Amino acid sequence: MKKPYKTIDIHGFEPSRAKRQLEFEINRAPHNAEKILVIHGCNRGTVLRDLVRTGLSCTRISEVMPCFANDGESTIYLKGKQ
C-alpha cells in the first residue's frame, strides 16, 4: 500500500481554521497524489472528525474513509487534477 502524500494533524484547531487548512492542502496536492492522512483526534468530541468526513467541499476529493485501526484518523482519497 502506498504511503499518503501528506499527513496533516489538526488537533486543537478551530473548525474554520481546520477546514481552510485542509482545503488548501487538498487543492495544492500534486496531480499524482492519491491520499492524505488527517489526524483529527477522537477524545475531545466529534466536530473535527465530522468536518473531515462530511464537511469538506473540494472537487478533488474522491472519498473519505475512517482509519479502522484508529478512530482519530481519516484518509482523504484524491482524484487526479483535471
Side-chain angles (χ1 to χ4, degrees):
M1 181 175 272
K2 289 186 175 183
K3 290 186 176 182
Y5 154 68
K6 188 169 228 169
T7 299
I8 303 171
D9 186 345
I10 58 170
H11 275 106
F13 281 31
E14 292 292 325
S16 60
R17 179 177 173 216
K19 183 174 180 171
R20 279 192 312 272
Q21 183 68 33
L22 290 170
E23 289 178 348
F24 173 79
E25 294 293 347
I26 291 165
N27 287 323
R28 74 183 282 262
H31 71 280
N32 61 343
E34 295 178 356
K35 59 187 173 180
I36 296 174
L37 176 66
V38 181
I39 303 167
H40 45 70
C42 63
N43 293 328
R44 293 188 172 195
T46 60
V47 173
L48 293 177
R49 182 197 69 195
D50 294 346
L51 169 72
V52 172
R53 294 184 184 172
T54 62
L56 299 174
S57 58
C58 293
T59 58
R60 285 210 55 204
I61 295 174
S62 171
E63 119 182 90
V64 180
M65 296 294 295
C67 292
F68 296 105
N70 183 346
D71 195 43
E73 297 177 356
S74 297
T75 302
I76 299 173
Y77 291 91
L78 303 174
K79 301 174 192 172
K81 283 191 178 178
Q82 306 294 323

